[in-house]
Amino acid sequence: MNEWKAAFLRHTPSTEQMMEAGKNAIGPAAGVALIVFGLLLLVLGKRSALFAGSLAMIAGFAVSNYFRQVFPWWPNDRVDLTTDPASLMSAPAWQWLPLLFLAAQFDGLFARTPSVPLWGGWRLRLGLGLLAALILIAPGFHVKLPEYYAGWPFPLQAKVWPILIFTLVVALGWAGSETVAKNNPGPMVALGLAFSLFGASLVIAHAHSALFADAVSIPAAALLAVGIVSIFCRVDVSGALPGVAVILPSILLSAYLRTESHVPWKAFVLAGCSPIAIGLMAIPLLSRLSGFGKWALFTVLCLGPTIAAVTFAVKAETLLEEADGW
């Protein structure tokens, strides 16, 4: 039992750190999102679920960031683009994440209006995914990829491929999770993705970055609150998901580029796969499942990649105390 206890303590933050995060990050995000989502549904009815979910995520994110100050309200650092491209790995591109999150929430609502055709919704998803890729992926990123991925069928040493892949990850994760949530009103998608985000936060914490771990925990807490309310209301929570589909891979990429640890790259990749994985449930054959089969498949698709990511991170690293770099 002592060995199990010691192993557990090596992979979890201290009580003081968890209390501080709960007080200034997780608590405000969850509390504000729950109040906003619940009140809007109570006042405006279930027809306002899309707008209510989107506004709840924005409000939870903003209030939590006010207390925790994870992100600057506006990017405040400048980067000399004439420097060596490899040095741009440390560029403050992650500071644009709040604006990308806000744009995703707005575009998610706009794409669901009746006047926007199907191709228009995909244009918004792909456009925002491409914008995020161009902001976050430094010109020298392809140099950091393992050399053996330069050949077919992994020609990732070319600059265009990381940008294309990141764009597709955002767009497919956005469309897939949104479609599954629309087809399955209730808490399933919101709660599942919230736990996936908390798992991604644990992966980043093992990479020794409290900053990016908090950055994932904030939308996770807000989404958890939306899921809790939807247990009782059984409403469509897809309005809360576009920002998650953008910010999850964005923070994981930023953490991978800006941390030094033994956590393997595949842990970061797997931690960002949940929105895409649950999108498989939109396939007609799988969308007709019901009862225990539907819940079991969703759990495997949503939490399976996250559990694998946490396992890789736990095997590779332990959490460090603040004095040692945490």
Side-chain angles (χ1 to χ4, degrees), residues 157-177:
Q157 288 283 324
K159 295 181 180 181
V160 67
W161 290 107
I163 294 175
L164 177 61
I165 291 173
F166 188 87
T167 301
L168 291 177
V169 166
V170 171
L172 293 176
W174 179 342
S177 59

Side-chain angles (χ1 to χ4, degrees), residues 19-321:
M19 292 292 292
E20 181 68 18
K23 177 181 177 182
N24 294 320
I26 297 176
V32 171
L34 189 146
I35 292 172
V36 171
F37 191 53
L39 282 180
L40 286 177
L41 290 178
L42 186 64
V43 174
L44 302 178
K46 292 185 178 182
R47 290 180 297 177
S48 67
L50 283 178
F51 171 74
S54 183
L55 186 59
M57 293 294 293
I58 294 172
F61 189 99
V63 172
S64 181
N65 191 56
Y66 173 79
F67 287 103
R68 193 65 165 173
Q69 296 184 357
V70 175
F71 300 101
W73 295 107
W74 188 262
N76 54 20
D77 291 333
R78 296 181 180 272
V79 178
D80 185 4
L81 297 180
T82 63
T83 59
D84 179 54
S87 67
L88 294 179
M89 292 294 186
S90 59
W94 62 270
Q95 296 184 6
W96 290 94
L97 288 178
L99 295 178
L100 291 173
F101 180 83
L102 183 63
Q105 292 299 120
F106 173 79
D107 285 352
L109 289 178
F110 184 62
R112 296 290 295 275
T113 57
S115 60
V116 177
L118 179 63
W119 65 266
W122 277 102
R123 183 173 62 83
L124 290 172
R125 299 182 189 104
L126 290 170
L128 190 58
L130 177 60
L131 177 62
L134 294 175
I135 291 174
L136 297 171
I137 298 178
F141 172 70
H142 63 288
V143 179
K144 190 172 182 178
L145 296 173
E147 192 65 32
Y148 53 83
Y149 284 103
W152 181 263
F154 307 106
L156 299 183
Q157 288 283 324
K159 295 181 180 181
V160 67
W161 290 107
I163 294 175
L164 177 61
I165 291 173
F166 188 87
T167 301
L168 291 177
V169 166
V170 171
L172 293 176
W174 179 342
S177 59
E178 190 178 61
T179 301
V180 174
K182 181 174 63 176
N183 295 339
N184 299 274
M188 182 176 72
V189 176
L191 294 181
L193 283 180
F195 288 126
S196 293
L197 264 67
F198 280 122
S201 175
L202 188 58
V203 171
I204 296 173
H206 279 79
H208 310 154
S209 175
L211 173 70
F212 291 119
D214 280 346
V216 178
S217 297
I218 289 174
L223 190 59
L224 180 65
V226 171
I228 291 174
V229 174
S230 64
I231 293 176
F232 305 98
C233 300
R234 306 291 299 180
V235 294
D236 178 6
V237 299
S238 58
L241 303 180
V244 171
V246 173
I247 205 168
L248 175 60
S250 298
I251 293 176
L252 286 167
L253 175 64
S254 299
Y256 174 70
L257 293 177
R258 293 164 176 80
T259 57
E260 294 292 338
S261 70
H262 296 293
V263 177
W265 62 268
K266 53 189 173 184
F268 292 92
V269 171
L270 287 169
C273 284
S274 292
I276 297 178
I278 67 173
L280 296 174
M281 293 192 66
I283 298 174
L285 179 63
L286 300 180
S287 64
R288 290 193 291 266
L289 292 175
S290 60
F292 176 79
K294 180 178 73 174
W295 279 93
L297 178 61
F298 176 83
T299 302
V300 171
L301 292 175
C302 185
L303 298 183
T306 303
I307 293 173
V310 172
T311 301
F312 283 125
V314 167
K315 286 184 176 181
E317 281 283 2
T318 60
L319 294 182
L320 299 178
E321 296 296 332

